[in-house]
Amino acid sequence: MPCTVIVGAFWGDEGKGKIISYLALKDKLDFCVRTGSVNAAHTVWMEGKRYALHMVPAAFLYEKCRLLIAAGANVHVGKFLEEVELTKVKGRIGIDQQASIIEEKHSAQDKASAHLKGLGTTGWGVGPAIEERVRRTAKLAKDIPELQPYLADSVSEINEGIDKDKKVLLEGTQGFMLSLFFGGYPYVTGRDTGASAIASEAGVGPTRVDDVLIVYKSFITRVGAGPLPGEITKEEAIKKGWFETAAGTGRDRRSAPFDFELAKKTAKINGATQAAVTKLDSMFAQCKGAREFADLSKDAKEFIKEVENRTGIPVVLIGTGPEAWDLIDRRK
Ligand code: IMP
Ligand code: MG
């Protein structure tokens, strides 16, 4: 543990929110640092209540966890304040003073651009907000009156936490295949979404990261345009129980079977040391709610073993249902 990066393996929506909410409660995380921006929604379920978080770190369920928004992140002020209210985290959430601000005009620019529309962006304006930051004309969190109570020097806090052996989780958003550098350009998002970039956005040097936990889903989904190898039709997806709609935008998610070669490649480039596999119950219905590996069906166990063999990394966490506790934890 001490410092772990959580990275999505494919095109986002692998179930990072669920894995993070479990780790927060189980491991009693000291810090959770959200990267990226408002385009990514992380879904957390607890006692039948669903949260689709665009700004607040997914570890909020553990009430002693210090929640931070990284210096490299882009903050949507309205969404942030709304979610702080919803999750009641005022007093323990901080925004790095150097985080930049995503404004309504960026969303309007995103929606007005035929090119960006063709890529199927989420419409939140993350690309235009990053452009503005690169031009050195962006507003920063420290410039916004409503954010004054939340301002923090997150980089010092996180690094001092690591010095003291605190449990620090760096929350990646989106998926590796949406990376501006490593995904299928131009059908990508406006930033690198890989493990190194997550650490970079948070202000953590590569030698201070202990584990990279890559999150796979048992099948693959993608929203927006761009190639999806092995894509099946919506009808087939419904039949298989794989059909999903996006937590953020409500759009249909396209789907495809698990891709072992891609899983191996993304594990390597992200330097993954551990893996999580979510939604095993969507592949193998008998596994729903299982909490012990021994309780999985034979074919489900074989699938997990094949993921391990083909990627070369241990599958330590297995999701078997939406609630944070619907999970098999194989860590020692
Ligand atoms: P943008 O990030 O809004 O610019 O969108 C660029 C591409 O990334 C589009 O195909 C989006 O659907 C996709 N995308 C962005 N964020 C997420 C996410 O959190 N989950 C899944 N897809 C995403
Ligand atoms: Mg999502």
Side-chain angles (χ1 to χ4, degrees):
M1 198 359 122
C3 180
T4 299
V5 173
I6 301 271
V7 62
F10 300 130
W11 284 270
D13 309 312
E14 298 90 358
K16 294 178 289 296
K18 179 217 165 69
I19 296 296
I20 294 165
S21 59
Y22 170 81
L23 290 173
L25 293 164
K26 176 72 183 176
D27 293 5
K28 302 189 171 13
L29 292 182
D30 295 298
F31 292 90
C32 183
V33 188
R34 180 156 170 151
T35 58
S37 191
V38 65
N39 46 359
H42 285 180
T43 304
V44 171
W45 280 90
M46 182 46 86
E47 290 163 2
K49 195 163 179 296
R50 176 179 174 276
Y51 302 83
L53 300 169
H54 293 258
M55 279 278 116
V56 166
F60 81 96
L61 287 178
Y62 177 53
E63 70 284 351
K64 289 188 184 147
C65 185
R66 169 72 164 153
L67 308 171
L68 290 167
I69 296 184
N74 274 284
V75 179
H76 188 287
V77 179
K79 200 74 186 162
F80 171 80
L81 295 171
E82 178 193 316
E83 289 185 357
V84 165
E85 188 78 14
L86 175 80
T87 55
K88 305 183 178 67
V89 293
K90 191 165 185 185
R92 63 183 176 104
I93 189 165
I95 301 177
D96 194 277
Q97 56 222 354
Q98 295 243 87
S100 56
I101 300 299
I102 177 168
E103 300 173 66
E104 287 313 318
K105 69 175 180 192
H106 299 130
S107 172
Q109 287 163 8
D110 213 341
K111 289 174 184 156
S113 160
H115 171 66
L116 293 175
K117 235 191 252 165
L119 303 181
T121 71
T122 60
W124 280 100
V126 177
I130 293 171
E131 276 181 59
E132 175 116 50
R133 191 172 192 170
V134 174
R135 276 201 304 271
R136 270 58 56 85
T137 50
K139 280 195 187 122
L140 299 183
K142 65 177 183 202
D143 305 324
I144 307 297
E146 300 99 293
L147 297 185
Q148 298 305 308
Y150 302 97
L151 293 185
D153 174 2
S154 78
V155 182
S156 299
E157 275 193 57
I158 298 161
N159 280 286
E160 281 159 22
I162 294 172
D163 288 342
K164 291 181 188 142
D165 260 341
K166 299 284 185 200
K167 291 176 181 160
V168 178
L169 189 146
L170 308 183
E171 176 173 352
T173 51
Q174 311 173 284
F176 186 64
M177 294 308 293
L178 288 171
S179 167
L180 178 64
F181 300 162
F182 308 108
Y185 191 92
Y187 298 102
V188 292
T189 191
R191 57 190 275 269
D192 180 14
T193 50
S196 311
I198 295 163
S200 167
E201 280 188 26
V204 174
T207 55
R208 291 165 71 77
V209 172
D210 299 285
D211 275 301
V212 173
L213 173 58
I214 192 164
V215 183
Y216 301 117
K217 186 159 63 182
S218 303
F219 53 97
I220 295 179
T221 56
R222 174 168 202 173
V223 278
L228 177 59
E231 180 167 4
I232 61 173
T233 63
K234 181 173 171 178
E235 290 66 40
E236 286 175 275
I238 292 170
K239 236 185 269 166
K240 287 179 183 291
W242 297 357
F243 179 68
E244 300 177 343
T245 51
T249 56
R251 292 182 291 177
D252 287 2
R253 289 184 185 155
R254 302 153 58 197
S255 53
F258 193 86
D259 182 334
F260 291 98
E261 274 310 302
L262 188 62
K264 179 179 173 179
K265 182 177 162 189
T266 59
K268 184 179 292 188
I269 303 173
N270 285 285
T273 57
Q274 300 179 320
V277 172
T278 63
K279 287 208 148 187
L280 193 66
D281 55 304
S282 297
M283 280 274 279
F284 307 100
Q286 328 80 287
C287 300
K288 189 156 184 69
R291 306 221 173 152
E292 298 289 340
F293 191 73
D295 295 340
L296 295 180
S297 61
K298 187 161 171 282
D299 47 358
K301 283 181 188 155
E302 272 163 14
F303 174 72
I304 296 295
K305 281 179 194 151
E306 192 171 357
V307 174
E308 293 187 318
N309 290 339
R310 300 276 290 270
T311 61
I313 48 173
V315 173
V316 294
L317 301 172
I318 302 170
T320 57
E323 290 270 333
W325 299 116
D326 288 335
L327 193 135
I328 298 168
D329 188 343
R330 303 169 82 203
R331 298 173 301 166
K332 288 280 169 320

